Amino acid sequence: GEGMAIDPQLSAAYQRDGVVVLRNLVAPEALEALRQGVTANMASPGPWANEYTPTGAAGRFFDDYVNWNRIPQFAEVGMQGSVPAAALELMGTKTTRLFHEHVLVKEAETKEVTPWHHDDPYYGIDGMDNVSIWIPLDPIPDSVALRFIAGSHKWNKRFIPKRFKDQTAYVEAAHDFVHLPSVEELNAHEVISTPVQLGDAVAFHYRTLHAAPGTAGTGVQLRRAVSFRYVGDDAVFASRPWKTSPPLEGNGLQFGDALNDLRFPVVA
């Protein structure tokens, strides 16, 4: 598709660190389209939407996903132009499929943090050719920026997910999955913070550990983002020891099958 060619050094940094900031990836018109999409999404949440902030508490932490079929602005930005083109370049694969989009909104004075985790254990797919492109719709100062552990996508470990509501582990033990190290141990690694301006995006691997602060005490009024998740050539439908997120049914796909399915359209 059209859009910028990714600097080969960015692709190399992505392969090395599992995260890279893409400056000026998203045009103002596309950002405006995404804002309209988020407004429509919040006015009409899908069946899998969540509100993570307790009733009566300050702030609001909303998320929802897999709505590109009914919110045309998400399909437009996620399926054509600079965003899927960047995904293709970063992954270095022949094809790029849209796995889904994910909307995350933190309003002012939200205490809920996003705990350290990586996304692969939540997803019902396997494969190392992948990238999430996280697009903020509001400026992101360091106080609310995503944090990443450099190179953690190459640890060859998958960590048992934690519930965002209370940060408890999904299960005590699971085959092929281990518990996360302590926050102190994690912070001993190189942590990359990604403050970004409007038009920038943060690209990261499904296995890169990341976390994010709340907005409480930061003065940030609104932190809206749309994350487009892509997969490349090696992605297959897979099971997890817990309910996947999104909780996709096989619909004819068997575990181990390539994602040849209209729900995961080829976009680049």
Side-chain angles (χ1 to χ4, degrees):
E2 78 274 19
M4 62 177 229
I6 294 283
D7 183 325
Q9 282 180 303
L10 283 178
S11 293
Y14 179 69
Q15 300 293 335
R16 179 189 72 230
D17 294 335
V19 58
V20 72
V21 172
L22 304 174
R23 302 281 175 205
N24 300 311
L25 177 72
V26 189
E29 310 81 64
L31 289 177
E32 187 48 43
L34 291 178
R35 285 193 194 98
Q36 291 168 8
V38 169
T39 299
N41 194 165
M42 293 182 81
S44 170
W48 299 328
N50 280 297
E51 296 278 357
Y52 293 111
T53 301
T55 309
R60 183 182 185 189
F61 181 9
F62 168 90
D63 85 339
D64 199 1
Y65 47 25
V66 199
N67 291 298
W68 62 266
N69 257 324
R70 66 185 184 98
I71 297 180
Q73 294 93 338
F74 294 164
E76 175 196 329
V77 177
M79 294 172 73
Q80 55 200 12
S82 62
V83 179
L88 184 71
E89 291 280 334
L90 290 175
M91 291 191 296
T93 54
K94 291 189 183 66
T95 59
T96 296
R97 286 183 188 274
L98 178 64
F99 179 32
H100 63 274
E101 96 297 327
H102 190 163
V103 169
L104 299 127
V105 177
K106 286 182 182 175
E107 297 186 354
E109 294 307 318
T110 300
K111 292 192 174 61
E112 284 68 44
V113 303
T114 305
W116 283 112
H117 69 288
H118 55 185
D119 293 338
D120 168 293
Y122 293 83
Y123 296 163
I125 56 165
D126 283 336
M128 292 296 282
D129 298 335
N130 63 65
V131 64
S132 286
I133 300 187
W134 185 91
I135 302 167
L137 308 184
D138 306 285
I140 304 292
D142 190 60
S143 59
V144 294
L146 298 178
R147 271 77 167 153
F148 297 88
I149 297 184
S152 54
H153 65 308
K154 294 195 288 201
W155 288 359
N156 201 25
K157 283 183 182 169
R158 292 196 291 182
F159 298 103
I160 294 171
K162 292 185 174 183
R163 294 179 184 87
F164 277 24
K165 277 191 193 304
D166 59 9
Q167 302 196 22
T168 56
Y170 274 27
V171 295
E172 275 312 300
H175 182 64
D176 282 342
F177 294 84
V178 295
H179 282 282
L180 272 161
S182 69
V183 172
E184 294 73 32
E185 288 173 273
L186 290 172
N187 282 328
H189 292 275
E190 182 194 349
V191 175
I192 297 174
S193 180
T194 57
V196 279
Q197 302 296 321
L198 288 175
D200 298 344
V202 184
F204 58 99
H205 194 274
Y206 295 177
R207 289 204 188 180
T208 308
L209 288 169
H210 57 284
T215 57
T218 63
V220 170
Q221 294 303 300
L222 192 56
R223 200 212 77 169
R224 293 170 294 177
V226 181
S227 194
F228 289 100
R229 277 116 189 215
Y230 298 98
V231 293
D233 305 337
D234 73 350
V236 295
F237 197 64
S239 64
R240 292 289 181 262
W242 37 77
K243 189 167 118 179
T244 60
S245 170
L248 298 164
E249 302 289 327
N251 287 12
L253 286 181
Q254 306 295 316
F255 297 138
D257 284 355
L259 298 184
N260 260 331
D261 187 301
L262 292 174
R263 292 175 295 170
F264 315 113
V266 174
V267 293

